[in-house]
Amino acid sequence: MTTKEIKSSFQEYASLDELSPEDRELATKAIRSMSHAYAPYSHFHVGAAVRMSNGQIVRGANQENAAFPSGICAERTAMFAAGAQYPDKYICSIALAGGVHGRLTDHPATPCGACRQVMAQYQARAGKPISVLMVGAKAIWKFEKVDDILPFIFNSI
Ligand code: THU
């Protein structure tokens, strides 16, 4: 038996000012998209923004439903919209931000497992890493590729 380790690294930024202009724009759009959330049940508003290979930014926000599983997260809203609008382009990066009643969390909100899996597939489709920016009021985390937040990605079919 051998014990193996999985390593993941990311950058932590103290504020939007520390980000590159491109990442700052994406993070800002994710924060602004929080106000587009429809979250009458959880009151947790999440905004997401996806940058495409043609430079276009597609935004999303979580959309809840009384039949709970019918709702969808901000990240998947943005990624699926991006895939549907620009089928011949690929996703380069995604940013997300969340908070209760629209107040940005201090600590970055992190994407759920289903959204990570969807990110992984768009990354595989692109054949290039998708960077993931998780935006909080007191810290911003940047992961260079989806593998860093989803080890052992399911890609067997
Ligand atoms: N949510 C997202 O939009 N993204 C995530 O990655 C996690 C959770 C939404 C789903 C639901 O509307 C609310 O946040 C509370 O879970």
Side-chain angles (χ1 to χ4, degrees):
M1 193 275 278
T2 51
T3 301
K4 302 198 174 185
E5 273 183 34
I6 302 168
K7 279 196 182 170
S8 165
S9 61
F10 62 97
Q11 285 104 39
E12 183 174 77
Y13 300 89
S15 75
L16 292 172
D17 301 335
E18 289 186 3
L19 298 176
S20 68
E22 280 200 341
D23 283 348
R24 192 179 315 126
E25 182 187 22
L26 204 64
T28 304
K29 290 203 164 156
I31 295 170
R32 291 202 185 130
S33 298
M34 287 167 63
S35 65
H36 297 185
Y38 174 59
Y41 305 103
S42 72
H43 305 292
F44 193 72
H45 295 191
V46 185
V50 163
R51 185 184 295 282
M52 305 299 294
S53 52
N54 61 355
Q56 289 293 320
I57 293 179
V58 180
R59 295 162 59 172
N62 55 326
Q63 303 295 314
E64 297 184 352
N65 190 276
F68 283 5
S70 304
I72 189 165
C73 294
E75 301 92 308
R76 272 176 290 158
T77 307
M79 287 186 282
F80 290 152
Q85 284 173 49
Y86 302 106
D88 55 346
K89 303 291 181 262
Y90 58 88
I91 296 174
C92 299
S93 47
I94 182 167
L96 66 128
V100 178
H101 291 293
R103 188 188 170 273
L104 184 62
T105 51
D106 285 343
H107 199 69
T110 53
C112 78
C115 288
R116 293 177 199 210
Q117 181 65 33
V118 172
M119 288 174 198
Q121 189 142 347
Y122 278 112
Q123 180 175 268
R125 191 176 165 191
K128 292 185 185 189
I130 294 178
S131 64
V132 185
L133 265 178
M134 304 178 193
V135 185
K138 299 213 167 137
I140 299 159
W141 294 340
K142 181 173 182 179
F143 296 81
E144 296 295 346
K145 55 188 186 307
V146 179
D147 314 57
D148 294 330
I149 55 168
L150 186 64
F152 301 112
I153 287 172
F154 174 69
N155 60 3
S156 311
I157 58 166

